[in-house]
Amino acid sequence: MAGALVLVLGDQLSPALSALEKGDKERDRILMAEVAAETVYVRHHKKKIAFLFAAMRHFADELRSAGWTVEYVPLDHPDNSGTLGGEVARFVAAWESDRVLVTEPGEWRLQEEIGTWEKSLGCEVVTLPDSRFLASHEEFSDWAEGRKQLRMEYFYREMRRKTGLLMEGDKPLGGKWNFDAENRKPASADLFMPEPLRTAPDVITRDVLDLVRRHFADHFGDLEPFWFAVTRKGAEAAFEQFVADALPRFGDFQDAMLAGEKFLFHGVVGLYINAGLLDPLAVCRRVERAYLDGDVPLNAAEGFIRQIIGWREFVRGIYWSKMPDYAQSNHFGAERALPDFYWTAETDMACLAATIGQTKEEAYAHHIQRLMVTGNFAMLAGIDPHQVHEWYLAVYADAYEWVEMPNTLGMSQYADGGVLASKPYAAGGNYINRMSDYCRGCRFDVKKKTGKAACPFNYLYWDFLARNRDALDGNPRLGPVYRTWDRMAEEKRQAYRDSAEAFLSCFD
Ligand code: FAD
Ligand code: DLZ
Ligand code: SF4
């Protein structure tokens, strides 16, 4: 028997991967490949490419140490065909493999492509479930079936019961499932600010940085300083530092934003979890232990665990149950092109300049920056949601379509018309002013509602609601907002519309 070719993708860097468990070290061979096609289907941030390639190279070494035979194709290998399909075909032929083993990919387009390989390769292609997630596709569909609305909170409770995380028998610890009411405090600049662990690049990573510098100079983002961990050990150390320094206040300041503070009390672990360097369940068990040991309060532990076993699993369920149609979602029929400042950070709006600026530097922004600054602005300004989706997929180190798309099209743009969120996350400047100190350093005045000096979020908010009334009016959660609009003097409403028109005309 010639043995199988086991394909390990760039975001499958986990020793417990189903394809590795199914494979046989003695007989089968692993293929890992850096391919141009995966780097440019959206033009990923330089730091994201460097992170993945460096982590892939380290993982290949880890697999070799564990006794596997690994073929690793670097991007600039002269025989590299540039596509995953091309590399698989090349090595199936060279090794005379009798089958291909692969864990299902995280993106629909690749799943579709892999579906064609059996025919083109002339050998069996076995796609295995990705057991790194808590809920299988079937479990999610069973849960979703017959429900009028899919809401994360109820799904999350199922995952709490399933894992036993923060449970006392069948009851949630502390008597409540969700402690968000204690969260959402604005931060102040005099707090002790933790910093994520910075890992110095080793020789392997420095080679990758060199390669990225040469091949991806025209991609968005700064390559250096490069400080992400690129091994399981490194990611675990970064996570331990987060647990010790930041987790205790994660809940309190989860929604806060501060100028000059890129990470606040966030984990900066999404990139490690999504690439497979950290196991999501192990991470949650560690956080539960920190709570049980009295090191962190319940609102922090519960809030963090909910993001992972709740939101993370929920959005994946939505993605796979709604694709491929989900990708076309555009509830408001928004068509405006993404403004250039999303690529340059050159805007007078201080909140957007800060969020996009740090995205450029670090391939990172935290959830509220993504949702309530860049996301909120794009929705209010009527930007084509597909362009918004491609931007998020390209610029963040933790972005893969299964998690990015529902967060962007569903949560942040409401382009899916309410599949994921019960109402649009639309807000005027007041929200940003309450949760951040950005407005203090802004040329616009957050207190002014209309006119050239006014904060653009203020008039764009009302213009968005008025413009999309037909698409939103039936939403009971928006009833009070529309009643406020209806009570306004026509002159005031017109001033909102005029300010919005004048502002948006600069982007047409
Ligand atoms: P923390 O705030 O420390 O949270 C811990 C972990 O919880 C995260 O690492 C992540 O694994 C998980 N998590 C938190 N919120 C979510 C969520 N809404 N959906 C899924 N997982 C969540 N997350 C991604 O992993 N990849 C993406 O491409 C992505 N795109 C997003 C796009 C938009 C428009 C929005 C609004 C959110 C997006 N998110 C995405 C969710 C969230 O913003 C990131 O997971 C988080 O900012 C990552 O930083 P962190 O590790 O410091 O997270
Ligand atoms: C994101 C990415 C990039 C930039 N490059 C590669 C690569 O060269 N080789 C590879 O196997 N995977 C890469 N990836 C991750 C894939 O895009 C990812 O596996 C799919 O999008 C499915 O989630
Ligand atoms: Fe952003 Fe408006 Fe505040 Fe300026 S005033 S930082 S545009 S919310």
Side-chain angles (χ1 to χ4, degrees):
M1 266 234 321
L5 180 156
V6 181
L7 175 65
V8 176
L9 299 169
D11 53 354
Q12 297 185 339
L13 311 180
S14 317
L17 192 74
S18 51
L20 293 170
E21 302 220 308
K22 188 88 179 169
D24 177 341
K25 276 181 197 169
E26 306 303 323
R27 199 192 51 202
D28 302 334
R29 288 192 251 192
I30 292 176
L31 173 66
M32 296 179 72
E34 296 169 3
V35 292
E38 292 302 306
T39 64
V40 295
Y41 70 94
V42 291
R43 291 159 60 83
H44 299 288
H45 193 299
K46 294 186 196 77
K47 265 201 171 97
K48 178 180 185 181
I49 299 175
F51 163 66
L52 265 193
F53 284 7
M56 285 171 71
R57 289 181 186 199
H58 283 89
F59 188 64
D61 285 347
E62 190 183 328
L63 290 170
R64 286 187 191 108
S65 304
W68 285 98
T69 306
V70 183
E71 180 74 37
Y72 190 96
V73 188
L75 187 84
D76 50 6
H77 190 284
D79 298 331
N80 189 331
S81 62
T83 65
L84 287 167
E87 289 313 274
V88 169
R90 199 155 72 85
F91 286 95
V92 161
W95 298 342
E96 300 180 357
S97 310
D98 51 16
R99 59 182 187 149
V100 172
L101 289 178
V102 60
T103 294
E104 59 179 326
E107 303 197 347
W108 177 270
R109 65 176 175 92
L110 201 51
Q111 176 94 311
E112 289 287 281
E113 191 194 322
I114 292 173
T116 66
W117 287 356
E118 205 157 76
K119 198 160 170 219
S120 59
L121 295 171
C123 77
E124 190 189 5
V125 176
V126 182
T127 308
L128 298 152
D130 193 339
S131 53
R132 298 173 301 168
F133 290 91
L134 286 178
S136 66
H137 300 315
E138 293 70 32
E139 249 177 298
F140 186 85
S141 337
D142 288 350
W143 172 81
E145 199 176 321
R147 286 174 194 261
K148 269 216 294 261
Q149 284 191 320
L150 304 180
R151 291 295 165 250
M152 189 285 295
E153 188 61 36
Y154 298 108
F155 174 77
Y156 165 56
R157 294 178 190 178
E158 289 299 305
M159 294 298 106
R160 288 274 293 278
R161 291 191 187 97
K162 178 173 178 177
T163 56
L165 280 162
L166 299 179
M167 296 294 288
E168 226 168 6
D170 61 351
K171 299 259 170 351
L173 268 181
K176 279 195 294 185
W177 293 101
N178 181 322
F179 288 85
D180 252 359
E182 296 171 30
N183 299 342
R184 302 179 176 153
K185 297 182 178 65
S188 64
D190 57 353
L191 284 166
F192 161 73
M193 277 312 158
E195 271 286 311
L197 186 69
R198 289 172 184 260
T199 310
D202 65 4
V203 157
I204 297 176
T205 304
R206 287 203 299 273
D207 271 354
V208 167
L209 295 178
D210 217 44
L211 177 128
V212 173
R213 211 174 285 120
R214 280 184 280 117
H215 288 264
F216 302 101
D218 56 347
H219 281 218
F220 174 76
D222 300 348
L223 180 60
E224 285 169 301
F226 183 88
W227 51 269
F228 292 145
V230 293
T231 61
R232 183 171 329 287
K233 261 196 164 152
E236 281 165 4
F239 179 62
E240 279 304 317
Q241 176 155 317
F242 159 71
V243 171
D245 292 354
L247 179 62
R249 313 197 82 167
F250 173 84
D252 293 350
F253 300 119
Q254 208 179 328
D255 289 3
M257 299 174 279
L258 280 180
E261 292 294 341
K262 303 174 196 169
F263 312 104
L264 288 116
F265 298 88
H266 290 272
V268 196
V269 288
L271 76 168
Y272 304 137
I273 300 176
N274 295 347
L277 298 184
L278 291 178
D279 174 60
L281 188 56
V283 157
C284 292
R285 297 236 181 267
R286 174 69 187 94
V287 168
E288 179 187 45
R289 184 152 60 79
Y291 164 69
L292 295 173
D293 290 348
D295 296 335
V296 307
L298 187 52
N299 71 314
E302 187 282 316
F304 188 84
I305 288 173
R306 173 159 28 90
Q307 305 313 313
I308 296 190
I309 68 170
W311 279 114
R312 186 171 184 272
E313 295 282 335
F314 180 70
V315 299
R316 177 178 184 253
I318 299 271
Y319 178 78
W320 286 109
S321 57
K322 302 289 176 193
M323 281 298 277
D325 297 349
Y326 201 77
Q328 309 309 321
S329 310
N330 191 353
H331 187 62
F332 301 123
E335 287 181 335
R336 185 164 279 113
L338 190 76
D340 279 350
F341 69 71
Y342 273 75
W343 300 109
T344 62
E346 284 167 17
T347 163
D348 287 341
M349 291 176 277
C351 53
L352 281 153
T355 301
I356 297 165
Q358 75 166 74
T359 299
K360 194 160 165 278
E361 286 163 19
E362 309 289 10
Y364 179 84
H366 69 69
H367 186 66
I368 292 300
Q369 294 176 303
R370 297 186 203 193
L371 184 64
M372 300 310 295
V373 179
T374 40
N376 183 25
F377 181 86
M379 179 173 67
L380 300 186
I383 311 296
D384 172 0
H386 193 74
Q387 293 190 30
V388 181
H389 144 66
E390 289 201 327
W391 182 80
Y392 279 100
L393 186 58
V395 303
Y396 290 114
D398 54 33
Y400 303 90
E401 210 176 79
W402 65 266
V403 53
E404 175 278 326
M405 183 181 277
N407 267 298
T408 304
L409 295 185
M411 193 185 303
S412 106
Q413 300 302 294
Y414 203 75
D416 65 3
V419 172
L420 194 129
S422 54
K423 75 176 177 71
Y425 281 93
N430 259 347
Y431 174 86
I432 295 173
N433 193 31
R434 192 166 67 248
M435 297 313 298
S436 80
D437 62 354
Y438 291 140
C439 302
R440 272 187 239 158
C442 187
R443 147 166 125 57
F444 295 103
D445 185 344
V446 72
K447 303 279 179 229
K448 288 206 164 84
K449 305 291 180 207
T450 53
K452 272 196 170 147
C455 165
F457 282 87
N458 290 340
Y459 47 75
L460 289 178
Y461 171 78
W462 285 115
D463 184 60
F464 161 78
L465 288 169
R467 196 170 77 227
N468 293 301
R469 189 160 189 163
D470 286 350
L472 289 172
D473 216 8
N475 187 320
R477 298 194 61 192
L478 292 174
V481 185
Y482 279 114
R483 279 198 290 281
T484 305
W485 173 253
D486 289 337
R487 276 197 305 268
M488 273 180 212
E490 177 50 27
E491 211 172 80
K492 194 167 171 190
R493 288 195 296 237
Q494 195 54 45
Y496 278 124
R497 290 194 203 99
D498 291 346
S499 293
E501 197 186 332
F503 177 83
L504 291 173
S505 64
C506 306
F507 302 113
D508 291 333

